Amino acid sequence: PAYPGLARKMNLAGTVKIEAVVLPNGSVKSTQTLGGHPLLVQAAVDAVDKCKWEAAPHETKEVVIFNFHPE
């Protein structure tokens, strides 16, 4: 995900945990934030929304964890 500018300026590091409901066609139906710093959450949600999973016979729930570290 893109590192948020304000978080970079603050030298903010952290982990964001997102649960995604994935449709059988592999696209994301919805997301729910399970934890993380508010300045980092939107970047993680945006990244998950762009993800594409393999097709499956039914809807699934996937947990995605992003680790943000300023460079």
Side-chain angles (χ1 to χ4, degrees):
Y3 204 102
L6 181 57
R8 185 179 306 279
K9 286 179 184 177
M10 295 174 59
N11 205 32
L12 181 67
T15 301
V16 177
K17 192 173 186 180
I18 304 289
E19 181 181 76
V21 176
V22 181
L23 295 170
N25 70 1
S27 63
V28 176
K29 176 181 178 181
S30 63
T31 58
Q32 178 180 354
T33 303
L34 301 178
H37 194 284
L39 286 178
L40 302 173
V41 166
Q42 191 58 53
V45 169
D46 291 345
V48 169
D49 283 340
K50 293 176 185 175
C51 288
K52 181 75 172 173
W53 276 264
E54 288 187 32
H58 51 79
E59 203 172 85
T60 62
K61 286 186 179 179
E62 306 294 335
V63 175
V64 183
I65 299 172
F66 292 98
N67 294 305
F68 289 88
H69 302 282
E71 295 179 354

